[in-house]
Amino acid sequence: DVKVTQSSRYLVKRTGEKVFLECVQDMDHENMFWYRQDPGLGLRLIYFSYDVKMKEKGDIPEGYSVSREKKERFSLILESASTNQTSMYLCASSFSQGLRNTIYFGEGSWLTVV
Amino acid sequence: KNEVEQSPQNLTAQEGEFITINCSYSVGISALHWLQQHPGGGIVSLFMLSSGKKKHGRLIATINIQEKHSSLHITASHPRDSAVYICAVHFGNEKLTFGTGTRLTIIP
């Protein structure tokens, strides 16, 4: 079975702290994604990566950066956490098969910024 | 603008009832996913389809490309089906656009 593992399930951080959210997948997928999920807004794409060291901005990249040094690992970085970044963060990966892309999600990381 | 709309937002039903959740999208797509999210956050992909109909156990997903509409059906619903069901579409590329989800509660 494909597994997407997010390193932290629950975090509480202070405003201004630097926060790292780590995601690892074990199926050699090219594509990896970071989303945040907020009530009434659904999932929104922050950044995605289609290869090592490659990244593209999603719909809401402001306040975030990412790192993909190895194919299996995609990190989301909050350079200076703010209270409006309190949210649930989901990592996902997919193996591109033309237009038919099966996507796999991690369990989610609940971040509270106080 | 590429949009995905789901209905209803919330649905409560008695155990055993037949459930239908709807998804409409604004322009042509390459594929559509139905996802299930249980309390606690993790999301599981139920179906990916680009045409016709798929069935897995008590779950059935259909898509009508001309009408830009998909439905997820649950037969003989059970309390363990209680979850948020999310429709997500590929508007021709790797990225997904998500609906806001339907919260389903099945009462014993």
Side-chain angles (χ1 to χ4, degrees):
Chain A
D1 278 354
V2 174
K3 194 160 187 183
V4 179
T5 303
Q6 295 182 227
S7 56
S8 303
R9 286 281 280 155
Y10 302 97
L11 306 93
V12 179
K13 297 291 181 181
R14 294 194 181 278
T15 300
E17 278 193 72
K18 191 168 186 175
V19 181
F20 292 87
L21 299 179
E22 305 285 344
C23 176
V24 177
Q25 50 92 4
D26 63 1
M27 275 299 289
D28 204 34
H29 286 171
E30 293 97 348
N31 303 323
M32 295 189 75
F33 308 85
W34 274 107
Y35 299 94
R36 63 177 282 177
Q37 186 178 33
D38 301 287
L41 296 177
L43 277 83
R44 293 179 292 167
L45 180 65
I46 304 171
Y47 268 96
F48 74 101
S49 168
Y50 50 88
D51 203 349
V52 176
K53 296 189 187 296
M54 306 300 285
K55 60 186 179 185
E56 283 197 25
K57 293 180 179 179
D59 301 317
I60 50 165
E62 297 79 16
Y64 303 94
S65 62
V66 290
S67 172
R68 191 155 181 213
E69 296 297 317
K70 294 185 178 181
K71 193 174 186 179
E72 67 270 19
R73 186 180 296 271
F74 192 36
S75 302
L76 180 69
I77 304 154
L78 287 66
E79 295 290 343
S80 177
S82 62
T83 54
N84 63 12
Q85 292 178 309
T86 292
S87 186
M88 205 269 274
Y89 291 87
L90 278 158
C91 175
S93 71
S94 71
F95 176 58
S96 182
Q97 295 176 321
L99 296 177
R100 299 177 185 273
N101 307 303
T102 302
I103 189 163
Y104 300 87
F105 288 86
E107 290 293 306
S109 298
W110 295 89
L111 172 66
T112 301
V113 182
V114 297
Chain B
K1 186 179 176 184
N2 298 337
E3 293 183 333
V4 180
E5 291 190 2
Q6 284 186 240
S7 63
Q9 288 190 339
N10 294 282
L11 178 57
T12 300
Q14 294 287 332
E15 183 173 356
E17 285 190 42
F18 182 82
I19 303 299
T20 296
I21 298 170
N22 296 298
C23 176
S24 298
Y25 46 91
S26 54
V27 297
I29 63 171
S30 58
L32 180 145
H33 297 255
W34 280 104
L35 309 169
Q36 180 191 56
Q37 185 175 32
H38 280 284
I43 293 177
V44 174
S45 178
L46 298 174
F47 296 103
M48 180 181 62
L49 64 167
S50 55
S51 65
K53 176 180 174 179
K54 287 190 175 181
K55 184 176 188 292
H56 185 259
R58 295 179 294 106
L59 301 177
I60 303 165
T62 64
I63 189 167
N64 185 317
I65 297 297
Q66 287 74 27
E67 295 189 2
K68 299 184 179 61
H69 180 269
S70 176
S71 293
L72 176 69
H73 305 285
I74 305 175
T75 61
S77 59
H78 190 277
R80 65 175 174 267
D81 297 325
S82 298
V84 175
Y85 292 85
I86 302 169
C87 171
V89 304
H90 289 283
F91 287 114
N93 57 29
E94 304 293 335
K95 293 190 286 184
L96 281 169
T97 301
F98 295 83
T100 54
T102 295
R103 183 175 300 277
L104 175 65
T105 304
I106 304 297
I107 300 170

